[in-house]
Amino acid sequence: MPIPDDRNQQLRLVEAILFASADPVPEEALQARFGEGVQVRELLLDLQALYEHRGVNLSAMGGRWAFRTAPDLGEHLRSETEVTAKLSRAAIETLAIIAYHQPVTRAEIESIRGVATSKGTLDILMEAGWIKPGRRRETPGRPVTWVSTPHFLDHFGLESLRDLPGVEDLRAAGLLDSRSGMGPLAPVALPAEAEPEPAEG
Amino acid sequence: MPIPDDRNQQLRLVEAILFASADPVPEEALQARFGEGVQVRELLLDLQALYEHRGVNLSAMGGRWAFRTAPDLGEHLRSETEVTAKLSRAAIETLAIIAYHQPVTRAEIESIRGVATSKGTLDILMEAGWIKPGRRRETPGRPVTWVSTPHFLDHFGLESLRDLPGVEDLRAAGLLDSRSGMGPLAPVALPAEAEPEPAEG
Amino acid sequence: MADPLSPDPFDQPVRDGTPEVVADAPLLLAIDGYEGPIDLLLTLARDQKVDLTRVSILQLADQYLSFVETAKRLRLELAADYLVMAAWLAYLKSRLLLPEPETEEPSGEELAAALAFQLQRLEAMQGVAARLLARPRLGRDVFARGAPEDMPVLEKRIHEVSLYDLLKAYGEHKQRQMKQGPLTIAATELYSIEDAVARVEAMLGKLPSWTKLSSFLPAGWRSGGVKTRSALASTFVATLELAKAGRLEIRQEGAFGPIFLRTPQSQEGGT
């Protein structure tokens, strides 16, 4: 794609490149991109002046350029910072089982999953606000059951628990592979899969 | 941190918040942040006007706001190495049917396309984050319906579902009515599922 | 239901030898290119080069039937769906050409209108799908901030889990569960004779001419292997059952030759 001749277009392009780039962009990389006929430094300085008093500034750090939110706004921006973390597979599966089988006790979750549930898993899900303790089961030991919360529905954009797709829907949607013709015979001979329990995140 | 009274400062803060976020920010979240005394919508519209002819634009998608590079610069920004996964024809058509007819059941999608939905259609669209299960249809069998997501609007740069290309013409022509084509005589070998219901959203 | 409109090629003396060489690869490919009979019909309708609201359904039926005839002559395997559609179009054609009987059923015109609507709707969806895809797309034409400053300022999002992740986790769990346990007797994925009887029965009366047994296999069971063999075996047993009951005629030209079926021509009263 040839670089536009029009200076305003060049300015727009620099702006877009800097915005979309994941890392600060070295000036010489921009210069190489635009070719010798273009004064990249001047474009950058113009852009910097344009953004000087704005909520976003263009800053140069060791010959690399990037947009950053204005430093004086930092205190307004950082108020509710949370670190996003990936949920472990065990936690996602546990959450799914609570969603589909609730109210369900921890022992039932373990029996469904076939592995022990570490204490941390339920804690993490509770901390995220997705599950909460429900009624106690009226059986010996009166174990606590777990249910999903309204926030769970909210987070996953569901109107109600009844909208969770059933097993047949999952299969039809391709989220559950159906077995091959001779499938039922083969896996029986295999040793039961050892369930890897990833470390809780 | 209290929100600044000065309008220019408010504008800068909105700008910084939207700039910092990769995902579109819901307008009501901004409103909640700024409090009732601030006309967030007006700040957003001012900002949008400010960026209208720039290399970066402010767009609204389904009530969520985000800065995005200007569409006309796309060809300059696209990196040569990037490979966009090609969608199958079935997936593209299914996506369009869900977008235009939502909420729509799988049986209805099949009746429109005249073929069964193969695996790797709905799950791929869901993995891309474009569709999700909606309310179940209150008809026999309570089939799951499918609807588009906010990310669908974001991905295709649509402000709302009303902005789907040609949607008004199709509606006026009656082509979004949910009547089944050849009805009971439909020769297509589909599993007899619940009859389509009026699906006006 | 016999098709009064065209001579049944299988009623004529059996041709010996191999009449045509199956070498028409382009047509074979062309069949693969259609997403079902409706899609094929739509492609044929576009050939009429008129506004779809004014397309001639009668002409379309003829085009489709001749397409299917050609495919048959070339001995191409056509999915049952295509044959059922052919039968239905032949029926529609007769309804359109003959005086309407006084019945409660929808008239030929109404059936034709319903088909025209279905074609227009599919055409519209294919059109908007293309327009949708031609829009500037995020990550290809339009880009988000490349270096978001890690500040989920407004939403406290602690964990990045999508609904897809959740449902996939449950799907995988169910899958593992189904594979486990020596006492879990999973349903076999073999085609049952009951299913085959139901399927062949449903298609009876819609097949005016001799049709290959293999054409009756349901979609999804035709890709070879155990599944296809089981479907073939069950369908064969089903046809024997139906033939015994006089509801079907079977014909085979020689040992290991293809088996053809049709509705008995002497049958009284339509089905």
Side-chain angles (χ1 to χ4, degrees):
Chain A
M1 232 19 237
I3 294 295
D5 284 338
D6 180 62
R7 186 154 201 285
N8 187 46
Q9 282 293 82
Q10 294 173 352
L11 216 51
R12 292 180 73 225
L13 187 51
V14 174
E15 192 178 20
I17 289 172
L18 294 177
F19 173 83
S21 173
D23 299 307
V25 182
E27 194 170 320
E28 52 273 34
L30 279 174
Q31 188 65 64
R33 182 87 177 269
F34 279 78
E36 297 215 344
V38 180
Q39 303 281 353
V40 164
R41 167 60 67 89
E42 285 185 18
L43 290 173
L44 287 165
L45 291 177
D46 278 8
L47 212 53
Q48 192 173 41
L50 204 60
Y51 276 93
E52 192 178 347
H53 302 291
R54 304 283 291 280
V56 174
N57 302 148
L58 181 56
S59 29
M61 297 146 294
R64 292 157 175 266
W65 296 76
F67 281 115
R68 289 284 177 251
T69 50
D72 67 300
L73 295 174
E75 47 192 343
H76 289 289
L77 291 174
R78 255 175 287 281
S79 53
E80 290 175 31
T81 307
E82 294 278 1
V83 185
T84 61
K86 264 231 175 294
L87 210 58
S88 72
R89 199 184 122 185
I92 298 175
E93 196 176 303
T94 303
L95 179 62
I97 285 164
I98 292 172
Y100 275 91
H101 295 267
Q102 62 185 295
V104 62
T105 67
R106 180 162 157 190
E108 287 160 357
I109 296 170
E110 292 180 346
S111 121
I112 291 169
R113 291 191 62 226
V115 285
T117 305
S118 75
K119 177 85 171 62
T121 308
L122 291 172
D123 286 348
I124 284 173
L125 296 175
M126 197 152 81
E127 216 172 278
W130 290 330
I131 63 166
K132 62 177 185 189
R135 271 167 195 279
R136 285 181 182 274
R137 185 67 49 80
E138 292 305 335
T139 52
R142 302 189 63 245
V144 161
T145 61
W146 294 91
V147 295
S148 68
T149 62
H151 178 68
F152 165 82
L153 295 178
D154 218 34
H155 181 94
F156 291 101
L158 295 163
E159 294 234 8
S160 78
L161 287 173
R162 301 194 319 163
D163 293 334
L164 278 172
V167 169
E168 276 316 306
D169 298 316
L170 293 180
R171 189 195 307 283
L175 289 162
L176 184 82
D177 294 333
S178 57
R179 293 138 295 152
S180 60
M182 296 312 290
L185 299 178
V188 175
L190 294 174
E193 275 175 284
E195 170 88 359
E197 177 84 348
E200 301 299 338
Chain B
M1 239 4 247
I3 293 296
D5 283 341
D6 178 60
R7 186 155 201 284
N8 189 45
Q9 282 294 83
Q10 293 173 352
L11 213 52
R12 291 182 70 226
L13 188 51
V14 174
E15 190 179 21
I17 289 172
L18 294 178
F19 229 87
S21 172
D23 297 321
V25 179
E27 191 171 322
E28 58 267 39
L30 281 173
Q31 187 66 65
R33 183 74 187 279
F34 280 79
E36 298 214 345
V38 180
Q39 303 280 356
V40 165
R41 166 61 65 89
E42 286 184 16
L43 290 173
L44 289 166
L45 292 176
D46 279 6
L47 212 53
Q48 191 173 42
L50 206 60
Y51 275 91
E52 191 178 348
H53 301 294
R54 303 282 292 280
V56 172
N57 303 148
L58 181 55
S59 355
M61 292 139 309
R64 294 155 180 262
W65 296 76
F67 279 112
R68 296 285 183 249
T69 57
D72 66 302
L73 297 174
E75 46 192 344
H76 291 290
L77 295 174
R78 211 172 302 152
S79 83
E80 289 79 5
T81 52
E82 185 201 350
V83 186
T84 328
K86 247 188 132 32
L87 286 168
S88 71
R89 192 179 141 196
I92 296 165
E93 273 180 38
T94 301
L95 178 63
I97 289 167
I98 291 171
Y100 284 77
H101 288 264
Q102 61 185 295
V104 63
T105 66
R106 189 167 57 91
E108 288 160 0
I109 296 169
E110 293 180 341
S111 134
I112 291 173
R113 297 195 63 234
V115 283
T117 307
S118 62
K119 293 234 165 61
T121 307
L122 290 172
D123 56 336
I124 278 180
L125 296 176
M126 196 164 159
E127 191 173 10
W130 294 333
I131 64 165
K132 63 171 187 177
R135 269 171 196 278
R136 284 176 184 273
R137 187 66 54 75
E138 293 303 336
T139 51
R142 305 190 57 248
V144 160
T145 64
W146 295 90
V147 297
S148 68
T149 62
H151 182 68
F152 165 79
L153 296 178
D154 190 18
H155 185 92
F156 291 98
L158 296 162
E159 200 165 318
S160 74
L161 291 175
R162 283 191 302 275
D163 297 318
L164 283 169
V167 68
E168 281 314 317
D169 295 340
L170 293 188
R171 195 184 309 282
L175 290 171
L176 299 186
D177 298 352
S178 62
R179 55 175 154 139
S180 50
M182 285 173 281
L185 269 175
V188 183
L190 291 177
E193 278 184 53
E195 272 294 294
E197 283 281 292
E200 289 309 314
Chain C
M1 178 191 75
D3 182 354
L5 300 161
S6 64
D8 186 342
F10 292 102
D11 282 342
Q12 287 153 20
V14 178
R15 293 162 294 191
D16 47 15
T18 45
E20 276 108 2
V21 182
V22 183
D24 204 331
L27 184 58
L28 193 64
L29 287 175
I31 291 172
D32 285 344
Y34 299 114
E35 301 246 335
I38 299 283
D39 190 44
L40 168 56
L41 268 173
L42 180 55
T43 308
L44 294 172
R46 287 192 187 115
D47 289 347
Q48 289 190 21
K49 295 199 169 57
V50 293
D51 183 349
L52 266 192
T53 53
R54 298 196 333 236
V55 80
S56 159
I57 294 294
L58 209 51
Q59 195 183 332
L60 191 58
D62 282 338
Q63 284 175 304
Y64 184 93
L65 291 173
S66 85
F67 179 96
V68 168
E69 249 345 284
T70 311
K72 268 194 198 163
R73 207 175 57 240
L74 294 172
R75 305 215 166 171
L76 298 181
E77 288 287 324
L78 271 187
D81 298 352
Y82 285 83
L83 298 177
V84 175
M85 176 63 99
W88 189 82
L89 283 174
Y91 166 74
L92 174 62
K93 201 174 137 181
S94 67
R95 291 286 303 269
L96 288 171
L97 293 174
L98 302 173
E100 284 292 344
E102 303 226 343
T103 58
E104 301 265 306
E105 288 172 38
S107 72
E109 298 295 334
E110 283 163 350
L111 293 175
L115 176 59
F117 171 77
Q118 194 159 9
L119 292 173
Q120 284 168 41
R121 187 170 60 179
L122 182 60
E123 163 95 344
M125 285 301 113
Q126 290 181 354
V128 292
R131 284 174 72 182
L132 202 55
L133 229 61
R135 290 186 62 82
R137 284 167 62 187
L138 187 65
R140 198 193 61 175
D141 310 286
V142 166
F143 296 85
R145 176 82 189 273
E149 293 166 53
D150 233 345
M151 290 181 287
V153 213
L154 299 149
E155 279 173 286
K156 275 203 235 177
R157 259 181 325 158
I158 305 174
H159 297 289
E160 297 264 15
V161 189
S162 67
L163 184 59
Y164 177 77
D165 297 330
L166 185 76
L167 298 181
K168 192 157 176 52
Y170 194 67
E172 284 168 359
H173 156 73
K174 276 283 166 199
Q175 176 129 4
R176 274 201 313 279
Q177 204 178 40
M178 284 187 282
K179 280 183 182 171
Q180 277 171 356
L183 286 178
T184 315
I185 300 174
T188 54
E189 270 220 58
L190 300 179
Y191 201 57
S192 74
I193 295 171
E194 289 79 6
D195 287 348
V197 169
R199 184 174 172 85
V200 175
E201 267 189 322
M203 291 163 74
L204 280 178
K206 289 180 181 167
L207 292 158
S209 61
W210 287 109
T211 306
K212 253 191 201 170
L213 174 68
S214 53
S215 308
F216 285 79
L217 302 194
W221 294 78
R222 311 167 64 90
S223 47
V226 178
K227 274 180 80 174
T228 301
R229 294 214 308 273
S230 89
L232 202 57
S234 297
T235 306
F236 179 60
V237 174
T239 57
L240 292 182
E241 289 269 354
L242 290 166
K244 204 170 93 186
R247 308 194 48 199
L248 196 70
E249 289 177 3
I250 307 181
R251 169 171 185 171
Q252 186 180 29
E253 304 304 340
F256 303 113
I259 297 167
F260 295 97
L261 318 171
R262 73 169 176 187
T263 318
Q265 301 301 289
S266 54
Q267 200 175 343
E268 288 166 50
T271 38

